[in-house]
Amino acid sequence: MYAMTTIKESSTIQENKKIAFNQCPVTYLMEKIGGYWKPIILFHLLSGSKRYSEIRKAIPSITEKMLIQHLKQLEADNLVAREAKPVVPPYVTYSLTPSGLRLNSVLYAMAAWSVEDSRINSNDIYKDLGDFPVVNKAEETNMGMVL
């Protein structure tokens, strides 16, 4: 009997994913950040490390269960790092890994498209992207990034 977290390697969906990965590189990205909440969590971490409570306040409509689940998945996918300091009460921060930081341009492109499309469709959702969080120059230099 399989545990709920065990993936049946011979399943049709797994075979379809392998084919999709080989034919479309966007599939890889969507496997990592797909869904409703993951890009929003990543967006909020672009501005720097945050405690769990800060993320929760920044995204008030997400449930605790979903936030915990997605943070664990993002950590398992090496996009988010979790740092727990051995103090009482526990002090846990979340930050983007170098892989997570490289998503800055992807998230910016998603935001730019959203703003433009909302304007085209007479439904302005955001005034401008001037306050879009960007990777600071020190992090950018350390990672050899070009944004």
Side-chain angles (χ1 to χ4, degrees):
M1 178 181 269
Y2 287 102
M4 289 187 74
T5 58
T6 304
I7 296 173
K8 184 178 174 186
E9 293 300 325
S10 63
S11 71
T12 304
I13 194 163
Q14 293 306 314
E15 290 300 317
N16 289 342
K17 280 185 181 181
K18 287 178 189 175
I19 293 167
F21 283 153
N22 291 332
Q23 294 179 352
C24 178
V26 174
T27 306
Y28 178 83
L29 173 68
M30 294 307 296
E31 186 72 14
K32 300 283 185 183
I33 70 163
Y36 185 80
W37 296 112
K38 286 181 183 179
I40 296 169
I41 294 167
L42 293 168
F43 170 82
H44 286 287
L45 290 174
L46 281 174
S47 59
S49 296
K50 293 199 175 12
R51 293 186 71 177
Y52 174 85
S53 60
E54 293 174 302
I55 300 169
R56 184 84 168 93
K57 285 177 190 168
I59 315 170
S61 54
I62 191 170
T63 64
E64 283 192 48
K65 177 186 179 232
M66 291 306 293
L67 180 55
I68 291 167
Q69 179 180 325
H70 287 309
L71 285 168
K72 285 180 180 179
Q73 289 171 354
L74 290 166
E75 185 180 9
D77 286 336
N78 194 36
L79 297 175
V80 168
R82 179 184 187 272
E83 183 183 353
K85 295 183 172 110
V87 294
V88 176
Y91 189 90
V92 178
T93 58
Y94 293 90
S95 59
L96 295 177
T97 63
S99 280
L101 287 167
R102 286 196 308 273
L103 287 168
N104 181 287
S105 58
V106 173
L107 294 167
Y108 184 86
M110 291 169 65
W113 180 89
S114 298
V115 169
E116 181 183 356
D117 193 67
S118 74
R119 285 189 182 137
I120 290 169
N121 292 303
S122 301
N123 186 21
D124 285 346
I125 58 168
Y126 201 76
K127 299 216 182 290
D128 72 53
L129 294 176
D131 59 351
F132 189 89
V134 294
V135 176
N136 71 43
K137 293 296 177 191
E139 289 172 333
E140 190 176 315
T141 303
N142 290 338
M143 296 180 332
M145 290 178 53
V146 176
L147 295 177

